C-alpha cells in the first residue's frame, strides 16, 4: 500500500487523543451515591444471589447476552501471518467495531499469547462463562480445527471460527444463486476448490451439505489435487475430500470442464487459459484477498460468460464476512443459544440467498453511489450496507436455534423481526447513505483557505474515499506543497491572483450586488478573498458545491455565502440545520445558525426544507414545533407564531407528519409516555425534526443535547441555496469535515441533475 495510507491508518488509530477503536460505556445511571450503591455494593449482592441459585439468570442481570469475546493468538493474521498476539490486537478491535456497527453487539477483544492448542483451549474455556459467544479469529491451520472442536465440546455458548465458517456461509449463499442464474442442478454441478486450509475445507463441507456430490468435487492444496491414491501422505482432515480421479496432476487438469471454481488460496494462481477450459457459464469465486486467484478483468476478458465473485469491494459479488458473523451471533445471542449449529449456518446461507432475490430498496442504491441492483450475474448476494440483512439473517438463525433445540430462550419471531427493523432504522450512521452515493461521482467541491491540519487531513481522506474532487482556493505554491504527496489529478487548485476566468467572475460579483454599484476594481478586490472566490466559483457552476472549514469565525466564513450565493426559487431566507446521531435515534435541529427571530412563514419553510432533506437521506421525518407548553388554546405571541407555522406547514407540505400544535421537548421525543396525560391526538412516531421559536432556543437545545448525549453531530447544513455551500465551525474534527463534505457532495449531485433538467425545460 502507498506510504500515505500507512500514515492515515496510524493517525486513525490514535485520533482524538484516545488510542484504539473501542471503549466500555456504562448502560445504567451512575450519577448519584444511590446509583453507585445499586451498581456495586451493597445492591449488587442481590443479582449475585439470584444467579448463584440459577445460573441461567446471568443472562437477565448482566451483559452476557449481548457480549462476544473475539479471541486470537495472532498466528494467522490477515495477510500478515504469525505476528503474535499483541500485534493482532488492532485486528481484533476492528472486528469488535464491525460487530457493534452492524449488529449492536458488544465485544471484548482478547489476545492470548499461547501457541500450544491445549493451553489455549484451557485459557479460553476458563473465561467463557463471562460471554454469550466466542468468535475465534486468525488462528493458524491445522490447530484452528482442533481448538474450535474442543471448545464447542467444553463450552455451553456459541463458539465460531469466522475464518472457516464466515467465508463458507457467504460463498455458499452466492453459490446457490449462481446455480439458479445458470440453470444448473446442484447434484450435477462439478466444483473445483483451491486451498484446503480452514476456509477452503469449511466451504467444501458446506457445499456438500447443500447437495454437491463428492464425486463431482475436486479439492486442491498447494501440492495439487488431493487424491485418494496419495492418502498415506495426507493430512487426516483432507482425507474427506480426496478424489478418486487419479488422472489429475494439477489445478489446470481439475478445471477442464468444471462448472464452478472456488478459491481460498493465493493470488494469481489461476490463468486465463484455465478459465477458458471450464464449462459454459463458468462460476469463478476467486476469494483470495487482496489479490484474487485470477483478476476480475482478466477472467471476464477470457470468458465473457463468466459469473465472478471476489473478496474485493470494487468488483461485483464481494464475498464479505461482515454479511455473516454479526447477524449470526445476533440471532444466537438473542436466543441465549448454547451453540451455533449446522442448521443455524444453513439458515444464514438460505436467508442471504433469498434476500438477494428480493427487490432492492432505494436506500441501498443510494448507499452505493446510485447504482441499481437486481438479482442476476452481478448481484448474487446482498450488499453489506443493506439494512435488511440484520432482520433477515438474525431472524433465520434464531428460528433455526429454537427448532434444533440449542436455544435457552424462545422468541416471538414476528416481534423479534420488528424489533430488529427498528434498531436498523434508528441506528444507521447518518452519513453512510450520502457517503456511498457520491463515491466516484467526480463532483467538484470548492474549499477555500486550507489553513489547519484537520482540514488538510480531511481533504486527503475525501480524495482517498473518492467523495469529491476538492477545488482548493488559495495560493498555488502553498497548496501544491501541501498536496505534494497526493496525485495531482485527484484535486484542483484555483489561485485567485492568476484566475483565468477573472472577467466572467467579476461580472458575476457585480450581478450579485446590483444595488451597490460595484466597479470592476472593487469586484476584483473582492475576488482576492478565497471565501468570496470559492462562493462565486460555485455560483458560476464551475464547482458543484462549497465547504469552508478554517480557523476563522463562523460568521466571517458564512457572510460571503449569504451575500453572493443565490437561493432557490421560493426561498425567503437561508437557514441552518444540525444533524445529531444518537445511539438509538437521529435528531435534526433547525434553525440553529442564522435567523434570529423567524416569522411563522419562515419557520414553516425551514421545517419543510429540513424534512425534505432528511427524506433524501433515507430518514422518515416527524416534525415538532417545540415550545414551553403543550397544545395551548391561547398563548403568548411566541406560541401563536408556532401555531400559525404549523397551520402553514400543513397547508403547503401535507405529506409531512407534524405534531398538531406546539409541544414541550419531552412530549415531542417520547409521545407514548404522554398519550394518556396530554388530551390531544399525537403522531404515531416520536419527533426527529425539532423546530424552535427562535435562534437562541434552537442553538441552545442542539448544543446541550450534543454534549449530554455524546452523539455524533453533522452541520450546520445550510438550507435553501441554489447550489450547496456549507461552513464548518472552528475546531471541527477530520471526521466531522469528511461527513459534511459527503453531505455537501450528496446535495450537489442532486442539484446538478435538477439544474440540468431545469435548463433543458427552459430551452425547450
Amino acid at each position: 500500500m502507498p506510504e500515505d495510507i500507512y500514515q492515515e491508518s496510524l493517525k486513525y488509530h490514535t485520533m482524538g487523543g484516545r488510542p484504539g477503536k473501542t471503549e466500555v460505556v456504562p448502560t445504567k445511571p451512575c450519577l448519584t451515591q444511590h446509583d453507585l450503591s445499586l451498581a456495586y455494593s451493597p445492591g449488587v449482592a442481590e443479582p449475585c444471589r439470584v444467579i448463584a441459585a440459577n445460573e441461567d439468570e446471568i443472562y437477565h442481570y448482566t451483559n452476557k447476552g449481548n457480549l462476544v469475546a473475539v479471541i486470537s493468538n495472532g498466528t494467522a493474521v490477515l495477510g500478515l501471518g504469525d505476528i503474535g498476539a499483541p500485534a493482532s490486537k488492532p485486528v481484533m478491535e476492528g472486528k469488535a467495531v464491525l460487530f457493534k456497527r452492524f449488529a449492536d453487539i458488544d465485544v471484548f477483544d482478547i489476545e492470548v499469547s499461547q501457541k500450544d492448542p491445549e493451553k489455549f483451549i484451557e485459557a479460553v474455556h476458563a473465561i467463557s462463562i463471562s460471554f454469550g459467544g466466542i468468535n475465534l479469529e486468525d488462528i493458524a491451520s491445522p490447530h484452528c480445527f482442533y481448538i474450535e472442536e474442543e471448545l464447542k465440546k467444553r463450552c455451553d455458548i456459541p463458539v465460531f471460527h469466522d475464518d472457516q465458517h464466515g467465508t463458507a456461509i457467504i460463498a455458499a449463499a452466492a453459490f446457490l444463486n449462481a446455480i439458479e442464474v445458470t440453470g444448473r442442478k446442484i447434484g450435477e454441478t462439478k466444483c473445483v476448490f483451491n486451498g484446503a486450509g480452514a476456509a477452503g475445507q469449511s466451504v467444501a463441507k458446506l457445499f456438500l451439505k447443500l447437495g454437491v456430490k463428492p464425486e463431482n468435487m475436486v479439492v486442491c492444496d498447494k501440492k495439487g489435487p488431493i487424491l485418494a491414491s496419495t492418502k498415506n501422505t495426507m493430512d487426516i482432515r483432507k482425507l474427506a475430500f480426496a478424489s478418486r480421479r487419479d488422472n489429475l496432476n494439477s489445478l489446470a487438469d481439475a478445471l477442464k470442464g468444471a462448472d464452478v471454481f472456488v478459491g481460498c488460496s493465493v493470488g494469481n494462481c489461476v490463468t486465463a487459459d484455465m478459465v477458458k477450459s471450464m464449462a459454459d457459464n463458468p462460476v469463478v469465486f476467486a476469494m483470495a484477498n487482496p489479490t484474487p486467484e485470477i483478476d476480475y478483468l482478466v477472467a471476464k476478458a477470457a470468458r465473457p460468460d463468466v459469473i465472478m465473485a471476489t473478496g474485493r469491494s470494487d468488483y461485483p459479488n464481494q464475498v464479505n464476512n461482515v454479511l455473516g458473523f454479526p447477524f449470526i451471533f445476533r440471532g444466537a445471542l438473542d436466543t441465549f443459544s448454547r451453540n451455533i449449529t449446522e442448521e443455524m449456518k444453513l439458515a444464514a446461507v438460505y436467508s442471504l440467498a433469498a434476500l438477494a432475490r428480493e427487490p432492492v430498496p432505494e436506500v441501498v442504491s443510494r448507499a452505493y453511489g446510485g447504482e441499481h441492483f437486481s438479482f442476476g450475474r452481478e448481484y448474487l448476494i446482498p450488499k453489506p450496507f443493506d439494512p435488511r440483512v440484520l432482520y433477515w439473517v438474525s431472524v433465520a438463525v434464531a428460528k433455526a436455534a429454537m427448532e434444533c433445540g440449542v436455544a435457552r430462550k424462545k422468541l416471538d419471531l414476528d416481534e423479534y423481526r420488528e424489533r430488529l427493523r427498528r434498531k436498523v432504522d434508528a441506528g444507521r450512521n447518518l452519513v453512510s447513505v450520502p457517503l456511498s452515493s457520491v463515491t466516484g461521482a467526480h463532483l467538484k467541491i470548492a474549499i477555500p483557505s486550507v489553513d489547519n491540519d484537520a482540514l488538510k487531513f480531511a481533504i486527503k481522506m475525501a480524495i482517498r474515499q473518492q467523495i469529491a474532487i476538492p477545488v482548493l482556493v488559495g495560493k498555488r505554491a502553498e497548496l501544491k506543497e501541501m498536496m505534494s504527496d497526493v496525485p495531482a489529478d485527484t484535486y484542483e487548485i484555483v489561485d485567485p491572483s492568476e484566475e483565468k476566468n477573472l472577467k466572467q467572475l467579476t461580472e458575476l460579483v457585480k450581478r450579485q450586488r446590483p444595488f451597490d454599484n460595484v466597479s470592476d476594481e472593487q469586484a476584483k478586490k473582492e475576488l482576492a478573498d478565497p471565501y468570496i472566490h470559492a462562493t462565486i466559483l460555485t455560483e458560476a457552476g464551475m464547482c458543484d458545491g462549497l465547504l469552508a472549514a478554517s480557523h476563522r469565525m463562523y460568521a466571517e466564513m458564512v457572510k460571503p455565502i449569504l451575500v453572493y450565493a443565490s437561493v432557490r426559487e421560493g426561498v425567503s431566507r437561508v437557514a441552518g440545520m444540525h444533524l445529531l446521531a444518537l445511539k438509538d435515534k437521529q435528531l435534526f435541529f433547525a434553525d440553529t445558525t442564522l435567523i434570529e427571530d423567524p416569522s411563522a412563514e419562515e419557520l414553516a419553510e425551514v421545517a419543510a426544507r429540513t424534512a425534505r432533506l432528511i427524506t433524501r437521506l433515507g430518514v422518515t421525518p416527524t416534525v415538532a414545533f417545540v415550545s414551553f407548553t403543550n397544545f395551548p388554546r391561547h398563548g403568548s405571541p411566541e406560541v401563536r407564531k408556532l401555531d400559525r407555522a404549523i397551520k402553514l406547514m400543513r397547508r403547503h407540505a401535507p405529506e409531512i407528519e407534524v405534531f398538531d400544535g406546539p409541544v414541550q421537548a419531552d412530549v415531542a421525543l417520547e409521545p407514548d409516555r404522554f398519550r394518556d396525560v396530554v388530551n390531544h391526538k399525537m403522531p404515531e412516531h416520536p419527533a426527529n425534526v425539532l423546530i424552535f421559536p427562535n435562534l437562541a432556543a434552537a442553538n441552545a437545545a442542539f448544543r446541550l443535547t450534543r454534549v449530554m448525549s455524546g452523539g455524533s453531530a453533522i452541520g450546520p447544513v445550510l438550507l435553501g441555496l441554489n447550489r450547496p455551500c456549507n461552513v464548518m465551525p472552528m475546531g471541527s474534527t477530520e471526521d466531522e469535515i469528511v461527513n459534511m463534505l459527503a453531505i455537501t457532495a450528496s446535495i450537489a449531485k442532486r442539484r446538478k441533475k435538477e439544474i440540468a433538467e431545469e435548463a433543458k425545460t427552459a430551452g425547450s
Side-chain angles (χ1 to χ4, degrees):
M1 291 187 297
E3 179 64 24
D4 55 346
I5 292 184
Y6 291 126
Q7 296 303 318
E8 184 179 329
S9 175
L10 292 175
K11 187 174 180 65
Y12 172 85
H13 282 80
T14 58
M15 66 168 47
R18 183 172 187 145
K21 301 187 286 282
T22 62
E23 66 176 333
V24 178
V25 179
T27 60
K28 304 298 184 290
C30 294
L31 301 175
T32 67
Q33 178 59 39
H34 182 64
D35 291 339
L36 296 180
S37 70
L38 295 174
Y40 194 52
S41 181
V44 75
E46 191 55 33
C48 292
R49 292 189 187 98
V50 172
I51 295 168
N54 180 357
E55 190 172 304
D56 282 351
E57 292 294 326
I58 192 172
Y59 284 98
H60 297 114
Y61 294 104
T62 76
N63 66 352
K64 178 183 174 88
N66 196 54
L67 186 63
V68 166
V70 173
I71 305 181
S72 179
N73 62 5
T75 53
V77 177
L78 295 172
L80 303 175
D82 186 355
I83 61 174
S88 75
K89 185 171 175 64
V91 182
M92 302 312 119
E93 282 188 359
K95 197 70 179 258
V97 170
L98 296 179
F99 267 106
K100 191 65 177 178
R101 167 64 181 83
F102 287 96
D104 194 25
I105 292 172
D106 297 320
V107 166
F108 287 157
D109 63 283
I110 299 174
E111 293 71 41
V112 181
S113 291
Q114 183 55 259
K115 293 185 179 181
D116 183 301
E118 290 295 344
K119 292 181 179 178
F120 182 89
I121 291 166
E122 289 174 8
V124 175
H125 177 244
I127 63 172
S128 64
I129 187 61
S130 299
F131 303 98
I134 293 172
N135 184 102
L136 299 172
E137 193 80 14
D138 293 349
I139 300 171
S141 175
H143 288 163
C144 61
F145 298 110
Y146 175 67
I147 287 171
E148 186 191 38
E149 289 167 3
E150 285 301 307
L151 285 172
K152 288 178 75 170
K153 292 176 186 175
R154 302 184 194 186
C155 300
D156 67 346
I157 58 173
V159 177
F160 188 82
H161 185 209
D162 189 46
D163 298 322
Q164 294 182 56
H165 310 301
T167 301
I169 287 165
I170 314 308
F175 169 70
L176 284 177
N177 283 338
I179 293 302
E180 179 168 321
V181 168
T182 58
R184 290 184 168 99
K185 295 180 180 179
I186 289 182
E188 299 172 2
T189 300
K190 298 177 181 178
C191 299
V192 175
F193 295 79
N194 197 48
Q201 289 191 37
S202 188
V203 177
K205 287 179 182 177
L206 199 49
F207 276 35
L208 289 170
K209 292 183 181 297
L210 293 176
V212 174
K213 293 182 178 178
E215 59 267 29
N216 288 333
M217 178 182 289
V218 176
V219 178
C220 303
D221 60 13
K222 60 185 177 182
K223 297 178 182 178
I226 298 172
L227 305 176
S229 59
T230 59
K231 64 182 180 181
N232 292 334
T233 61
M234 194 186 310
D235 182 309
I236 188 66
R237 287 186 173 81
K238 295 180 182 179
L239 185 60
F241 305 106
S243 172
R244 298 191 179 278
R245 294 171 59 190
D246 292 339
N247 59 331
L248 301 177
N249 297 311
S250 65
L251 174 61
D253 288 344
L255 280 173
K256 291 176 182 176
D259 299 304
V260 176
F261 167 78
V262 178
C264 297
S265 53
V266 295
N268 296 321
C269 62
V270 174
T271 67
D273 286 339
M274 292 182 190
V275 177
K276 288 179 181 177
S277 75
M278 295 177 69
D280 291 342
N281 292 306
V283 176
V284 175
F285 288 2
M287 298 184 292
N289 226 348
T291 304
E293 283 80 359
I294 182 170
D295 183 75
Y296 175 83
L297 298 177
V298 173
K300 292 292 287 186
R303 288 293 296 270
D305 61 339
V306 70
I307 294 178
M308 187 88 174
T310 70
R312 295 176 54 129
S313 61
D314 51 350
Y315 296 134
N317 300 319
Q318 182 192 18
V319 178
N320 189 334
N321 283 20
V322 80
L323 277 169
F325 68 84
F327 315 111
I328 294 166
F329 268 99
R330 180 77 276 160
L333 291 174
D334 290 339
T335 51
F336 302 165
S337 289
R338 293 180 172 85
N339 197 355
I340 292 176
T341 65
E342 294 303 312
E343 292 87 349
M344 293 161 74
K345 296 175 195 173
L346 286 171
V349 171
Y350 286 118
S351 64
L352 282 170
L355 178 57
R357 299 172 196 147
E358 293 288 309
V360 182
E362 186 64 27
V363 66
V364 179
S365 175
R366 289 198 298 268
Y368 290 88
E371 184 179 357
H372 291 278
F373 305 103
S374 60
F375 178 64
R377 290 172 171 267
E378 297 193 344
Y379 184 76
L380 299 174
I381 43 178
K383 295 290 185 180
F385 280 100
D386 188 332
R388 301 171 300 169
V389 178
L390 175 62
Y391 52 85
W392 275 67
V393 176
S394 301
V395 171
V397 170
K399 182 174 185 288
M402 292 188 290
E403 289 176 347
C404 65
V406 297
R408 293 181 177 89
K409 180 181 179 181
K410 300 297 182 182
L411 299 175
D412 178 325
L413 292 177
D414 290 334
E415 186 277 332
Y416 181 50
R417 183 180 292 104
E418 287 307 309
R419 175 152 50 94
L420 292 178
R421 191 190 299 268
R422 290 194 299 271
K423 183 187 291 285
V424 168
D425 291 343
R428 286 289 160 185
N429 189 313
L430 275 173
V431 298
S432 61
V433 169
L435 189 62
S436 299
S437 71
V438 297
T439 302
H442 307 297
L443 296 155
K444 293 185 178 183
I445 304 298
I447 302 177
S449 191
V450 185
D451 62 1
N452 64 87
D453 290 338
L455 179 55
K456 293 174 186 176
F457 189 71
I459 289 169
K460 294 177 181 180
M461 287 174 64
I463 291 173
R464 174 105 33 231
Q465 297 176 41
Q466 299 183 57
I467 295 172
I469 299 173
V471 179
L472 311 180
V473 183
K475 295 180 180 179
R476 181 176 297 277
E478 294 177 2
L479 292 170
K480 196 169 182 180
E481 182 180 357
M482 184 194 81
M483 302 294 286
S484 60
D485 56 342
V486 178
D489 60 351
T490 60
Y491 67 96
E492 296 179 10
I493 294 175
V494 171
D495 189 330
S497 67
E498 58 186 44
E499 176 59 68
K500 61 183 179 180
N501 299 307
L502 190 57
K503 184 176 180 181
Q504 178 184 349
L505 299 181
T506 298
E507 290 301 315
L508 188 52
V509 168
K510 294 163 65 177
R511 193 171 75 216
Q512 292 299 99
R513 294 175 59 182
F515 304 111
D516 294 337
N517 296 318
V518 177
S519 67
D520 286 351
E521 286 305 311
Q522 287 175 312
K524 290 176 183 178
K525 187 176 180 180
E526 291 280 274
L527 286 167
D529 183 303
Y531 294 89
I532 295 176
H533 204 103
T535 305
I536 294 297
L537 285 175
T538 306
E539 182 66 21
M542 297 176 185
C543 291
D544 301 303
L546 178 152
L547 180 66
S550 83
H551 280 325
R552 293 194 190 184
M553 297 296 290
Y554 181 85
E556 188 179 351
M557 290 187 285
V558 81
K559 183 178 178 181
I561 295 171
L562 299 179
V563 172
Y564 290 108
S566 59
V567 299
R568 298 190 63 174
E569 185 178 350
V571 173
S572 58
R573 293 176 71 180
V574 177
M577 180 265 289
H578 272 96
L579 305 82
L580 188 61
L582 307 179
K583 181 178 180 180
D584 60 347
K585 66 182 69 173
Q586 300 156 341
L587 295 177
F588 306 85
F589 297 74
D591 167 40
T592 50
T593 57
L594 294 175
I595 310 176
E596 189 170 343
D597 187 18
S599 66
E601 289 75 11
E602 288 165 342
L603 284 174
E605 182 183 307
V606 168
R609 291 201 170 278
T610 300
R612 287 166 181 155
L613 174 59
I614 73 168
T615 299
R616 289 189 288 269
L617 298 179
V619 179
T620 302
T622 299
V623 179
F625 288 76
V626 181
S627 180
F628 60 84
T629 185
N630 293 309
F631 302 107
R633 294 183 179 179
H634 307 287
S636 67
E638 184 177 277
V639 169
R640 291 198 297 271
K641 178 173 71 172
L642 292 176
D643 211 27
R644 174 169 165 73
I646 293 168
K647 291 180 172 62
L648 289 169
M649 186 176 175
R650 285 186 175 279
R651 185 187 311 161
H652 298 298
E655 75 281 6
I656 298 170
E657 188 175 39
V658 60
F659 278 72
D660 190 21
V663 290
Q664 294 174 332
D666 52 355
V667 175
L669 297 175
E670 298 182 324
D672 286 345
R673 279 183 56 200
F674 297 94
R675 290 191 192 279
D676 296 333
V677 178
V678 177
N679 187 23
H680 205 286
K681 183 179 179 181
M682 291 190 286
E684 181 181 349
H685 304 100
N688 53 10
V689 176
L690 303 177
I691 307 297
F692 298 85
N694 53 52
L695 180 59
N699 194 279
F702 163 70
R703 293 182 184 278
L704 281 170
T705 307
R706 180 185 183 184
V707 171
M708 298 301 292
S709 68
S712 175
I714 305 171
V717 178
L718 296 181
L719 305 170
L721 294 169
N722 191 43
R723 287 185 173 88
C725 299
N726 289 305
V727 175
M728 297 291 292
M730 188 185 301
S732 297
T733 66
E734 296 100 327
D735 278 345
E736 289 170 341
I737 297 170
V738 170
N739 288 344
M740 178 57 84
L741 189 56
I743 294 283
T744 304
S746 178
I747 298 171
K749 183 178 180 181
R750 177 182 53 82
R751 283 300 296 147
K752 189 175 183 179
K753 182 179 179 181
E754 290 174 349
I755 290 170
E757 291 172 349
E758 289 166 4
K760 185 177 179 180
T761 301
S764 61

